[in-house]
Amino acid sequence: MEEERDCVDIITQLTAVRSSVDRIIELMITENLTACINDPLEDPQAQKERLEKAVQYLIKRK
């Protein structure tokens, strides 16, 4: 905006940044869920809480 660029250009760039951040978040959630399944914790209660937290993050994203 300081460079007096068109608002549409700025919005396009911001949308691309948001999409990239959303994709990174999705990848991190996927990796977390995969780790929860492939490497379960010894403590069943801690494992349950770990999975629930990962699912809650996933739900919040939608």
Side-chain angles (χ1 to χ4, degrees):
M1 294 179 85
E2 291 176 5
E3 296 173 7
E4 297 183 19
R5 296 188 68 187
D6 187 41
C7 288
V8 173
D9 291 339
I10 295 169
I11 291 170
T12 300
Q13 290 177 350
L14 290 174
T15 301
V17 168
R18 180 172 48 194
S19 294
S20 296
V21 170
D22 286 344
R23 181 68 183 135
I24 291 169
I25 291 170
E26 290 171 7
L27 289 171
M28 291 178 71
I29 291 170
T30 300
E31 286 185 22
N32 186 22
L33 281 170
T34 301
C36 286
I37 293 167
N38 291 335
D39 302 313
L41 301 176
E42 298 277 334
D43 178 9
Q45 182 61 33
Q47 175 67 7
K48 179 182 175 191
E49 291 172 6
R50 184 180 181 198
L51 283 168
E52 287 175 350
K53 185 178 280 190
V55 170
Q56 286 302 315
Y57 281 122
L58 186 60
I59 291 170
K60 286 180 184 179
R61 301 292 314 144
K62 300 299 171 187

